[in-house]
Amino acid sequence: MRTAHAFRRAASALMPALASRSVPAGEPGSRRGGVLKSAHAIWRTVSAVVPALAFAVYASAAVRGVDITERSSVLEGKSFGAAGPYQRIIGRIRFGADPKLAANHIIRDLEFAPVNASGDVEFSADFYILAPQDPKRANGTVLFEVTNRGGKGMLSRFTFGRGSDPRSAQDFGDASLLEQGYTLAWLGWEWDIPESNKSALHFTAPHFRPDALPAYGLVRSESEFIQTVTSMPLGDRNQVPIAVAKPLALYIRDSASAPARQIASDKWKLSAAGTAVEMPAGFEAAKIYEFVYEGKDPVVAGAGLAAVRDFISYLKYAADAPAPAKRAIGFGISQSGRFLREFLYDGFNADEKGRLVFDGVWADVAGAGRGSFNFRYAQPSRDGHPFLNIFYPTDMFPFTDDALLQRARATRTAPKLFLTNNSYEYWGRVAALIHVTADGKRDAPLGPDTRFYFTAGVQHGPGSLPLTKQGARYDRNPVDHRPVQRALLAAMQAWLKDGTAPPPSQYPRVSEKQVTGLDGLKFPAIAGVTPPKYPRLAARLDFGPEFETLGIIRKEPPAVNGAYPLLVPQVDADGIDLGGIRLPELAVPVATITGWNLRPPERGASEEMAEFNGSIFPFAKTKKDREQFKDPRLSIAERYASREEYIKRATAAADDLVRRRFLLPEDRDRAVDRAARLYDALTKE
């Protein structure tokens, strides 16, 4: 069977042959008549059919077919610099995995899925590609974002764009990724995204054969509410829940450290649809509820990891790939960053033929976690925070890059690795465990092809002005760290393409006393401000003897056998993190800016952290104000004689970041302007 490209080649070859036929002018088949028209008719027919064809793929054994549903011009054929016009390619890709193949043994429970006549387990996924129309004008790199719950985030992250289906100029932001010639790609991989989420990229995972499951397994659903409700959904963040075979128990906790108390079975019931637990007396706000049950009809969740592996392998190595690439960068934010850490740990960076998949991997704001991606009854959306999804297999030993890359190094498929985290990830996602020993007493060395970059004083995601609390106790952190990430992408590309080493790692060291336990934190005494007492801990969880080896949970809730050490960045006299990259707002401060915040009293559990959020605590405007409020931090007026002086010093800080390659020259003025806007916001009368 020919591929769609073969059809096009055949039609193209046919046109000159038909046109060269010697026939009398004016007769059917003449150059001015039938033959040339017939040739063009064939071309039009083939071109019209191509988008609907299923590509029969043999160059990449794991990809069984590609169904393209849309191939369209981006922004009506606008040219993006040297890369020229871009095209949008949307469709569905079909995979087949042979359970007997050694490379697929890392997919947990694949042997329990049904196979087709060829002996393959089948699964499929939506894909979305933005690529130069002329592949020769591309820069050779596919920048692949692991979708976060089916969405797309890298246009926002790298171009200041937006949207899950970019169609307008605003969606592409400054279009810098396109100007640089990247091929941008996304693929569905998460099995539990509801069909009602039309904008998401979906993944159809293989289910177990009905006769293959030896026994029902344990599943736990956890929820916390902002107000009293009578129904508790079983899926996380509106995701599709695992089906219930038998309800077992409902528990309540006052906090992550409090013991679980079982709620009498006559107080609650499973909903008629089987997707929620109902309790007429109500689920209280600011409590942690855990519903344990026996699940049924599980999927092979790890097929999502294999789909990403095989999709990237296809783009790199298949002659008929719709958007070919020489190299690939895997980028993931938060959940997606944890996915990439799991991807490496499990050994998915070698394809079925043992070839390198991702040349570079970038796990962003993933903390030290991995996640629920490759075991029986896995719930991929479950993460881990101080007061949310607290006892899932997320922050599980081992944590360091050496452990993540062990299998890849054994197969000579280790990528260049970026690990980037902000201040929040130390407080909310145990990020220090990436670079310290398991006892927390020493620095753990990073490998030569690993870089760890810590952005000081930044929350989980980009901040903005004007200042607002938005569900937190203190004003939320306004710092936008995306300019640093734009520079790091350029550094990764140069590392892969030209061999230019990226900037040295920047993170707080134990040896420099730049990380500390909570009892040693030297945060300034600011009136009305309390640092968190209950950050996220990496608990030592016991899910039973078969979890580590077979991915089977036998204990729910898991046994908690203590926790790994907690270390957070030490701070300077202004309360600003040590040891990291400081944007101008942090290098030339007008406020204490942190990666943590607390829940507001009206939400309940007010001593707990507000997940994802950082804080800002402005300096006093004048010395008189500082003395009146007994603020130990120098006032803005004492630091900067004028706005002009502040701008001058912020510019110098930005220039230093450019010199060190943590800021692109074209982003210098943007960084200075954001610092100036914060200065103006805090000094206005």
Side-chain angles (χ1 to χ4, degrees), residues 487-607:
L488 291 180
L489 176 60
M492 173 66 88
Q493 170 72 351
W495 201 10
L496 299 179
K497 182 177 180 292
D498 305 320
T500 302
S505 296
Q506 297 288 314
Y507 61 91
R509 266 74 166 187
V510 174
S511 59
E512 300 296 324
K513 298 182 179 180
Q514 295 170 330
V515 288
T516 180
L518 290 186
D519 56 352
L521 185 68
K522 299 177 181 178
F523 194 77
I526 305 172
V529 175
T530 304
K533 299 177 181 177
Y534 306 109
R536 167 77 174 176
L537 295 175
R540 297 175 183 265
L541 302 177
D542 178 7
F543 290 94
E546 296 176 296
F547 181 72
E548 187 65 30
T549 55
L550 300 177
I552 300 173
I553 293 176
R554 299 298 188 194
K555 292 182 181 180
E556 283 287 18
V560 180
N561 301 316
Y564 292 92
L566 171 73
L567 295 174
V568 298
Q570 185 57 278
V571 296
D572 63 15
D574 290 324
I576 295 174
D577 298 330
L578 299 175
I581 301 165
R582 289 188 177 188
L583 281 157
E585 295 98 320
L586 283 301
V588 190
V590 289
T592 298
I593 303 176
T594 78
W596 50 262
N597 207 321
L598 299 180
R599 292 160 60 110
E602 62 270 18
R603 187 177 172 187
S606 59
E607 292 189 332

Side-chain angles (χ1 to χ4, degrees), residues 141-155:
T141 299
V142 56
L143 179 57
F144 174 80
E145 181 188 14
V146 179
T147 65
N148 188 314
R149 298 172 178 85
K152 303 180 184 75
M154 71 175 163
L155 286 175

Side-chain angles (χ1 to χ4, degrees), residues 467 475 478 523-527 529 571-577 582 584-594 615-640 646 649 675 678-685:
L467 298 181
D475 282 337
F523 194 77
I526 305 172
V529 175
V571 296
D572 63 15
D574 290 324
I576 295 174
D577 298 330
R582 289 188 177 188
E585 295 98 320
L586 283 301
V588 190
V590 289
T592 298
I593 303 176
T594 78
S615 306
I616 180 169
F617 307 108
F619 298 155
K621 293 180 182 180
T622 66
K623 180 179 180 181
K624 181 179 179 181
D625 293 337
R626 174 175 67 83
E627 291 175 342
Q628 178 182 351
F629 294 105
K630 296 183 171 58
D631 193 328
R633 305 165 298 165
L634 288 177
S635 67
I636 295 174
E638 290 174 287
R639 295 165 187 262
Y640 316 110
Y646 178 82
R649 291 176 60 178
L678 182 60
Y679 177 94
D680 292 342
L682 300 187
T683 57
K684 66 182 180 181
E685 295 300 329

Side-chain angles (χ1 to χ4, degrees), residues 252-261 290:
I252 182 173
R253 297 178 188 266
D254 295 324
S255 69
S257 59
R261 308 186 303 274
E290 299 170 295

